[in-house]
Amino acid sequence: MAKILGIDPGRYGAAALMVDGAPTWAAPMPVLQTTKSTGRAKTELDLARLRDLLDGLPADTQIVVERVGHRPGDGAAGSFTFGYGAGQLDALIFACRRPRTYVTPAVWSKALGMSAGPDAPLVRASELWPRSTELWTPKRLERTEEQCRGIADAFLIAEWFHRRMRVC
């Protein structure tokens, strides 16, 4: 049984588990609301909950993480914060002694025939798995539209790896 955890890093990212090519489980990236020294609100990864998630996975689960970089239009502070969070995620996966594979958005989206646009992940995931759309459908008080895009991305990242495994 092939188990693949796709991870879309970031505040609106997600983790999504596929088993034998079928979407099984997903959750928005766990985050904490904290306060900066200036008193302003700040969102950061909840590393304890992420560790619990990784520890709960079967040992043979493949972990595939989207390789992120600077995004045009982001300021220096935003880019640093995003990169810092991605580094925390990478270090946590490493500390849990889990092997991981990285893939850039350009590679996985091209391989899966994605169109452009903010809703493209939701559309493509719904085309591939029409019976699983409840996993990436917004639900009041549970998950926002942004989080659902992250969930769809995470499933598509896992699907890219699933297809790659079948070719090897």
Side-chain angles (χ1 to χ4, degrees):
M1 210 178 337
K3 294 173 275 308
I4 305 166
L5 182 73
I7 298 178
D8 177 29
R11 179 175 35 186
Y12 297 116
L17 182 67
M18 290 181 65
V19 177
D20 290 335
T24 305
W25 170 89
M29 191 62 66
V31 293
L32 292 170
Q33 298 299 322
T34 63
T35 306
K36 294 180 181 183
S37 59
T38 60
R40 296 185 68 187
K42 173 181 161 180
T43 302
E44 58 186 44
L45 289 177
D46 185 339
L47 296 174
R49 283 182 43 212
L50 274 171
R51 186 197 61 236
D52 291 345
L53 181 144
L54 293 172
D55 287 344
L57 294 173
D60 60 343
T61 304
Q62 301 289 322
I63 298 175
V64 187
V65 182
E66 184 176 64
R67 183 173 298 283
V68 295
H70 173 72
R71 297 174 299 188
D74 280 356
S79 291
F80 179 83
T81 301
F82 185 66
Y84 185 78
Q88 286 181 312
L89 176 63
D90 186 48
L92 181 63
I93 294 169
F94 179 79
C96 291
R97 298 175 187 232
R98 293 304 195 113
R100 63 229 180 269
T101 301
Y102 295 96
V103 60
T104 63
V107 168
W108 70 258
S109 60
K110 181 179 178 183
L112 296 176
M114 292 263 299
S115 59
D119 291 329
L122 298 169
V123 170
R124 188 63 178 132
S126 297
E127 292 170 351
L128 291 171
W129 307 288
R131 293 184 178 168
S132 300
T133 57
E134 72 280 354
L135 292 168
W136 52 84
T137 300
K139 288 187 179 176
R140 189 168 181 251
L141 303 176
E142 274 188 50
R143 55 184 178 249
T144 66
E145 194 169 320
E146 291 89 358
Q147 290 170 324
C148 288
R149 285 189 196 106
I151 289 170
D153 273 355
F155 275 122
L156 293 166
I157 291 163
E159 174 64 12
W160 168 84
F161 189 80
H162 179 71
R163 291 181 182 192
R164 183 173 165 235
M165 279 180 25
R166 287 186 302 186
V167 171
C168 297

